[in-house]
Amino acid sequence: MSADRAYRVLDAGTRAWWRTVGRRVDLDGEHAWLRAPAAEAGVIGPSWLDAAAAAVSGTVERGGERGLVPDLAALDGPGFSADDLAPDVRDFYERTGAWTMDAWSSWSPLFQPGGMLVEHLFGRRLQQLALPVQPLDVSHGIDSEIVGIVDGQGRQVSAAWLRRLRRTGQFLFSGAYAVRSLPGAARPSVHVTFPLEKGNVQVFLRPEVRADGALVLSSASRAFGRDGAYVVVHGSRGEAWAARVPIHEEFVVHVDDRGELRTDHELRVGRARALRLHYRMRRGKVGQQDSSTSILTSR
């Protein structure tokens, strides 16, 4: 069996497994909150952008200091007000393209082999969800671009955050960021979608504000229809299945005692910590030679 055919069998088998453990969903009705961009076969990268724009009768727009969320007040509701956030925290989300990032990661020894396996079998090949697990993978830095998916009325429906290795041009992450309300929720969540072949991975993050103006985004719930991580698989006849994934994330975006904007990011599988990341954000155009984005990986 050729490598290409073996990978096609692997991908089809993976989708079949998610259909087995998931539940049938109606993306045009009861479960419309799970309707999100998907990709066709092959390398993911930015391949899904045009279809995502066409789905909202809109266009793909590049350039400028576009933000992941144009106005964080869209998240306002009982228990949350964007006006309570530290100014730099809010500016980062509303003008993400004006900032660069450095990041450090630390894997749990228990989960690092699994991360390496996923990166080898899926991440590098599909150029999606390819979290670096070796320090030299990102030694030359990472380029980052914010792309707007804008509807026919000129409103940003979502923002694509595209990140790739500068040395090779290989994509690491390609995600759509938006604001979406979950069924029965008192206020909206931050909705992140990573398109995959005939489906996607989605994460809903509940926003909170700390007393010091920090933004906390978390996906701690275990119930279907609440904040958390989901895998959605599309069938050949318009059917769809969704499975709740026991992965929990928390981001704490804060200004430190030196006035620098930083983020602590923790990923857990069940109750076990799998990965911790720390980011430092600085103002400066993303993608310019004198203000590159880089990730420093340590164990």
Side-chain angles (χ1 to χ4, degrees):
M1 181 183 293
S2 68
D4 287 345
R5 184 177 179 186
Y7 281 129
R8 287 198 297 270
V9 171
L10 173 65
D11 293 340
T14 302
R15 290 193 295 273
W17 189 84
W18 285 115
R19 288 196 297 268
T20 300
V21 301
R23 64 175 69 182
R24 191 79 169 262
V25 291
D26 178 7
L27 298 182
D28 294 319
E30 178 185 359
H31 306 103
W33 51 276
L34 283 170
R35 188 168 60 237
E40 296 301 323
V43 174
I44 306 300
S47 66
W48 54 275
L49 291 177
D50 289 338
V56 295
S57 301
T59 57
V60 175
E61 294 189 359
R62 287 180 162 84
E65 297 180 346
R66 189 175 300 275
L68 294 176
V69 179
D71 185 356
L72 281 182
L75 294 168
D76 284 356
F80 180 87
S81 173
D83 289 340
D84 295 333
L85 293 168
D88 279 354
V89 172
R90 185 166 186 173
D91 188 75
F92 173 75
Y93 278 91
E94 296 180 348
R95 297 195 311 126
T96 315
W99 293 76
T100 62
M101 299 171 62
D102 299 311
W104 295 259
S105 67
S106 177
W107 281 88
S108 161
L110 179 65
F111 289 95
Q112 187 173 24
M116 296 176 67
L117 182 63
V118 171
E119 181 196 25
H120 175 72
L121 292 179
F122 299 100
R124 292 187 182 184
R125 176 173 57 90
L126 300 178
Q127 297 195 35
Q128 177 66 296
L129 296 176
L131 187 68
V133 292
Q134 297 294 342
L136 290 180
D137 288 345
V138 289
S139 58
H140 292 268
I142 293 177
D143 286 326
S144 177
E145 181 184 11
I146 308 296
V147 179
I149 299 173
V150 179
D151 67 14
Q153 286 71 50
R155 296 171 298 191
Q156 180 173 300
V157 176
S158 61
W161 194 359
L162 311 176
R163 285 161 282 181
R164 55 186 175 180
L165 293 172
R166 175 168 296 118
R167 182 172 61 86
T168 64
Q170 175 180 309
F171 280 87
L172 296 175
F173 297 97
S174 175
Y177 290 71
V179 172
R180 182 166 293 182
S181 294
L182 288 162
R187 61 176 185 265
S189 298
V190 174
H191 180 217
V192 186
T193 302
F194 298 101
L196 295 170
E197 180 181 343
K198 296 181 176 61
N200 48 55
V201 172
Q202 303 182 34
V203 183
F204 292 86
L205 298 158
R206 176 182 174 85
E208 296 181 348
V209 184
R210 283 195 331 200
D212 61 356
L215 173 64
V216 180
L217 297 172
S218 61
S219 61
S221 175
R222 293 180 173 83
F224 193 93
R226 298 292 183 265
D227 295 290
Y230 298 82
V231 172
V232 176
V233 174
H234 297 171
S236 59
R237 300 178 181 178
E239 318 97 322
W241 294 262
R244 183 73 167 79
V245 185
I247 292 177
H248 312 295
E249 292 186 86
E250 181 178 85
F251 298 80
V252 180
V253 188
H254 65 281
V255 179
D256 69 11
D257 56 4
R258 295 186 178 183
E260 292 187 318
L261 186 63
R262 295 178 178 268
T263 298
D264 293 310
H265 175 196
E266 183 173 282
L267 185 150
R268 291 180 175 268
V269 178
R271 296 184 178 181
R273 178 188 294 158
L275 175 66
R276 288 189 301 170
L277 299 104
H278 179 80
Y279 306 92
R280 178 180 62 186
M281 289 85 87
R282 296 171 294 171
R283 283 190 176 89
K285 283 288 187 178
V286 173
Q288 290 183 349
Q289 289 296 110
D290 59 348
S291 60
S292 63
T293 301
S294 62
I295 292 184
L296 306 177
T297 307
S298 61
R299 300 180 186 177

